[in-house]
Amino acid sequence: MDTQPQVEKKWALASIPLQDAYTDFLLSRRAMMCTTRTMQFYEFTLGKISEWFERNDVHQPQEITSRHVRALLGGMVEKGLSDSYIHSYARVIRTFVRFLLKEKYIYEPIEFEMPKIGKKRLLVYNKEEVQQVLTTCIDKRDKCSAVENPDIAIRE
């Protein structure tokens, strides 16, 4: 009778380079039939992220930590990049690390806070300003596009 407790062994794929996991991720997205534009976005963005990891001595998926992700995103903030641009990188990282976990390249989730996107206020015109825009229109086509523009709101 064996009285020793059974220990579940968790083995990450042994010594898989980060570049191979990147390639596997792209293959998975192609198999999911992502659009050409989505594939270009993943290739460009994840390519830049992979380059950053390599420059910061992260060569295998299991070496990626939350601290690395925060350092990468924080560096983007320091460079003054836009909040939506940084958020798009964070979305790609989140998708990639979920893939790594699902495919057992890593066995612990890599958790980090998603960067916030600032709320942008739309330009609001009063009635006089709208009239001024409409009076500068040359023909009916100009007036129609000025009135239908969804970015213009009229203040009462």
Side-chain angles (χ1 to χ4, degrees):
M1 183 165 140
D2 190 10
T3 59
Q4 293 196 357
Q6 295 295 321
V7 177
E8 182 183 335
K9 293 183 180 179
K10 293 183 178 181
W11 301 96
L13 296 174
S15 302
I16 298 293
L18 188 59
Q19 193 62 34
D20 288 352
Y22 163 78
T23 301
D24 195 17
F25 174 80
L26 292 178
L27 288 172
S28 76
R29 301 301 113 164
R30 280 193 194 99
M32 291 171 55
M33 299 185 347
C34 289
T35 65
T36 301
R37 182 68 187 113
T38 299
M39 290 304 301
Q40 291 170 342
F41 175 71
Y42 278 132
E43 288 172 18
F44 176 80
T45 308
L46 195 53
K48 295 288 186 186
I49 292 165
S50 295
E51 289 171 10
W52 186 93
F53 282 143
E54 292 287 333
R55 282 193 314 273
N56 288 275
D57 296 323
V58 177
H59 306 289
Q60 297 175 343
Q62 64 268 26
E63 295 173 344
I64 300 171
T65 65
S66 299
R67 184 176 186 182
H68 289 114
V69 175
R70 288 190 296 269
L72 188 155
L73 298 174
M76 295 174 81
V77 171
E78 288 175 4
K79 288 180 182 176
L81 300 173
S82 75
D83 54 358
S84 59
Y85 186 78
I86 296 167
H87 194 270
S88 69
Y89 268 70
R91 284 194 330 266
V92 171
I93 294 169
R94 181 180 60 193
T95 303
F96 182 57
V97 297
R98 286 179 179 171
F99 167 82
L100 295 175
L101 185 63
K102 181 179 177 196
E103 295 295 318
K104 298 189 178 15
Y105 284 104
I106 59 175
Y107 279 96
E108 296 293 325
I110 300 168
E111 297 178 4
F112 59 95
E113 296 292 321
M114 292 295 289
K116 294 192 184 337
I117 298 178
K119 293 183 181 179
K120 301 202 176 19
R121 294 183 52 103
L122 295 177
L123 181 58
V124 178
Y125 293 107
N126 62 31
K127 283 184 178 183
E128 293 78 30
E129 291 168 326
V130 171
Q131 278 302 2
Q132 186 178 7
V133 169
L134 292 175
T135 56
T136 60
C137 294
I138 298 169
D139 57 24
K140 289 181 182 181
R141 182 178 176 191
D142 291 341
K143 285 185 181 184
C144 184
S145 22
V147 171
E148 291 180 358
N149 186 341
D151 293 334
I152 298 175
I154 303 173
R155 278 192 312 252
E156 289 294 333

